Amino acid sequence: VTALGVGWTQNAEGFRSGRQAFRPVTAFDAGRQRVRQAAEVDLPASLPPTRLTARHERRLDRAARQLLWAGVECWRQSGWEPTENLPLVLGTTSGGMTLGEEFLKQAQAVPASNRRQPTRVTHYQCQRQAMSLMEALGFTGPLTIIANACASGANSIGHAFDLIRSGRTKRVLAGGFDGLSELVFAGFNSLQAMSPTGCRPFSADRDGLGLGEGAALLALETLVSANQRGAEILGELVGYGAATDVHHLTQPHPEGEAALQSMTEACRVARIAPEQVGYINAHGTGTPLNDGAEAMAINRWAGATAPMIRVSSTKASVGHLLGAAGSVEAVICLMALRGQWLPPSATTREIDPVCRFDFVTAPREAKLDYALTNSFGFGGANASLIFRRWS
Amino acid sequence: VSRITIQGVGAVSPAGWSVADLLQAVSLGTALPVAPLERPARDFKLPVRRVPSPASPQAWLRQPRLRRVSPISRFATAAALEALGADAGLVGAGALRLGIVYCVMAGCVNYSSRFYQEVLNNPATASPLVFPETVFNAPASHLAALLGTTAVNYTQVGDDTAFVQGLATAAGWLLEDRVDGCLVIGAEECDWLTSDAMRLFAPETVLAEGAGAIYLKRSASGVALEAITDPQIYLGRDPRSAAIRAVQRELETLGAPTQLFDSGAAQGDPWQDWPGRRTSLRQFTGDAFCAASAWQVVAAAEALRKPSTARVSVMVAGCNHAAIGLSLIRA
């Protein structure tokens, strides 16, 4: 689920062509904000049929609804059945923040009234949003919620990968979600991290990021288990690396030390060399500091083979999805591997000369076997995932 | 997970800034003092148990990253440093790969409410220094920077059970040799918003603040994690009691514990007829979600120092998501 649409088909078409989905914010009043654009999701008026009651559905906030749409699509596509021991690993930065905002506003403006406040408290919490997903799809199991800022979605998939590889489980439902909220939108505005002129990742004249919202889930399963039930396999997750950048709370190390560490670790786990990676979906927020550091990290990681590595940032199309970014971008890698195409950063015109790699600014067909996605977050959370084309 | 042992514990609680302070308060068997917390726009105050001011200035607060941090970051850092002990030097020297699992429910609510209030007043003047401190993983990031560790670092969010699940995450990293040691921290801070929200569900509950930390390593000696049960999710009819019973059954398969550390007796509690020694820390400390769960595990680990104690069980019934159990033995 992104501002390009709901579901694989709409998103694949949008990312393949490099379409942009930014517009003036309608989710809340952004009139007094420095930047007033975002990539908002237009959800269908009603939710897909699930086991949730109509009353339960009404209590879901914007983020939980996006999670539910992504969950239902993933569940149907996977062919999984309701079960009692399916781990769920989710990444998010702010859960049901819009409900938290409503709670605070009412607690101050109408302090004697508790009307709807218990519901807001309950559904604000991300474990409650996750439980709603479980109820909707008819499963239970251990729940892990990773809140590693903008790397959360990638960390959640990586953690699920670890759970399966270590033999602790055969299947995990994993991904990330985040909805637009006034607090977070104002936060990035306060940092002057948002672009007033449009997100242009790795552009020489880039001046900030654009915010978006969305959700993506992956049904991860051992190959043996998937083959036994004749599942359609969309791709293979082969590498995961995570590292911590201790340079600054919100700024990356200028040489991309932790990014280099996470990419190197992911390659080690995948047992591949950088030149085997046919495409990198960069974190590529469009901020001067992130893209410069990430470019340095990719240059160092790829070494002499850097010019062979094709890179783009799909945040040019749908913005920065925060806790959902890593999981949505993982799905984009799967789309690229299955379709053998590269999603462009179509807003970037003059590529920053620091980029020694092949930066993709126009739609392109490509032969690729491995795709890597980077996610870096506040607090120095860095994560890289590597997928392999399944054939 | 029995090859994973507890090498250090730390605690910041309403009893003070050390494990010794916490254990002394529990041994006295009396509830810690309650303080009133201002509730804006109402004519009543909310009862809470705050962490007292430290007896002496903490040198690490002079670190640039830690000067302006919220209380939750200070609690988490102090508890982590107490648990890590002398190994902090090894981390800084690059001789020990240290992972961090930081667990919260409410998280950095002081700065979140403050920042959102600034946004409502005028977004153009909302502080760019405050916003990054509202992010769930800010305390874990500060701690990593202070210690100089670039290894894997997760912030896990959930109800009280998230801390015990954090122990399982850390054990997995250690067993897979991704890290040499791992800190697992549970932390929370008091705020009128959290207390006002809790009042809607459990008006008798007194919320508290602080942090607890467990330092884990692969080792043949020390207090070992014998087992961590599956978390039992609160779904279906009578979900909480059913979940607690399921956890109890799983713990009982390991053998009878000498002592049980639980998160508070509840109606229909399946442990109520259990004849062994039982300690519910929250009745002394107040409830602090993940921090309180961490205090339970800290106290349980310390109980195993007595030769007469062979096995302790920790039972955490979370406030709105799940129940989970942990068994500790002397390795």
Side-chain angles (χ1 to χ4, degrees), chain B residues 57-276:
Chain B
Q58 290 146 323
W60 46 266
L61 276 176
R62 288 197 291 270
Q63 288 279 332
R65 284 278 293 264
L66 291 160
R67 278 187 202 138
R68 278 186 291 265
V69 297
S70 63
I72 194 170
S73 289
R74 295 182 190 192
F75 303 152
T77 302
L81 292 176
E82 184 183 14
L84 195 54
D87 274 10
L90 296 176
V91 179
L96 191 148
R97 297 171 299 161
L98 181 75
I100 296 172
V101 185
Y102 167 74
C103 309
V104 290
M105 186 172 112
C108 309
V109 67
N110 285 185
Y111 277 6
S112 296
S113 59
R114 177 175 152 187
F115 181 77
Y116 190 54
Q117 192 59 62
E118 290 181 3
V119 171
L120 292 175
N121 293 341
N122 182 2
T125 57
S127 170
L129 294 176
V130 173
F131 174 63
E133 299 288 345
T134 70
V135 182
F136 271 124
N137 67 331
S141 168
H142 294 314
L143 179 60
L146 179 70
L147 294 169
T149 174
T150 62
V152 62
N153 183 329
Y154 282 178
T155 291
Q156 292 187 192
V157 181
D159 72 358
D160 319 51
T161 55
F163 179 77
V164 181
Q165 290 206 62
L167 292 172
T169 298
W173 291 348
L174 287 161
L175 291 171
E176 293 154 21
D177 196 32
R178 292 181 69 181
V179 293
D180 303 314
C182 193
L183 278 167
V184 185
I185 305 149
E188 305 287 355
E189 63 188 9
C190 282
D191 190 274
W192 74 266
L193 262 183
T194 319
S195 287
D196 206 42
M198 196 67 179
R199 187 177 58 83
L200 300 173
F201 299 90
E204 73 287 356
T205 299
V206 176
L207 289 186
E209 63 183 4
I214 298 287
Y215 178 40
L216 297 175
K217 281 174 117 173
R218 286 183 305 274
S219 170
S221 62
V223 172
L225 306 186
E226 184 184 28
I228 297 171
T229 72
D230 286 332
Q232 300 292 330
I233 309 291
Y234 297 163
L235 287 175
R237 284 186 183 178
D238 191 20
R240 186 181 166 97
S241 296
I244 293 171
R245 276 194 297 275
V247 171
Q248 183 195 33
R249 282 195 298 272
E250 201 173 332
L251 285 174
E252 283 175 349
T253 62
L254 300 166
T258 312
Q259 192 171 352
L260 169 70
F261 291 82
D262 69 4
S263 48
Q267 201 171 12
D269 180 352
W271 295 92
Q272 60 192 0
D273 298 326
W274 185 67

Side-chain angles (χ1 to χ4, degrees), chain A residues 154-234:
Chain A
N155 283 130
S156 69
I157 294 169
H159 185 62
F161 177 60
D162 285 343
L163 291 176
I164 292 174
R165 275 205 322 149
S166 64
R168 278 173 275 177
T169 184
K170 291 179 181 174
R171 296 178 187 177
V172 184
L173 187 63
F177 70 105
D178 258 328
L180 281 172
S181 71
E182 187 179 20
L183 187 154
V184 175
F185 192 83
F188 281 94
N189 257 323
S190 76
L191 291 167
Q192 303 203 3
M194 289 167 67
S195 169
T197 59
C199 176
R200 298 182 298 283
F202 295 97
S203 179
D205 67 346
R206 64 187 180 274
D207 61 1
L209 57 83
L211 277 184
E213 60 182 346
L217 286 167
L218 277 70
L220 297 171
E221 185 169 10
T222 63
L223 179 61
V224 170
S225 174
N227 280 338
Q228 276 174 349
R229 63 187 189 88
E232 181 188 2
I233 296 170
L234 302 179

Side-chain angles (χ1 to χ4, degrees), chain A residues 17-28:
Chain A
S17 63
R19 186 156 63 86
Q20 290 108 55
F22 291 90
R23 68 180 190 202
V25 170
T26 62
F28 48 85

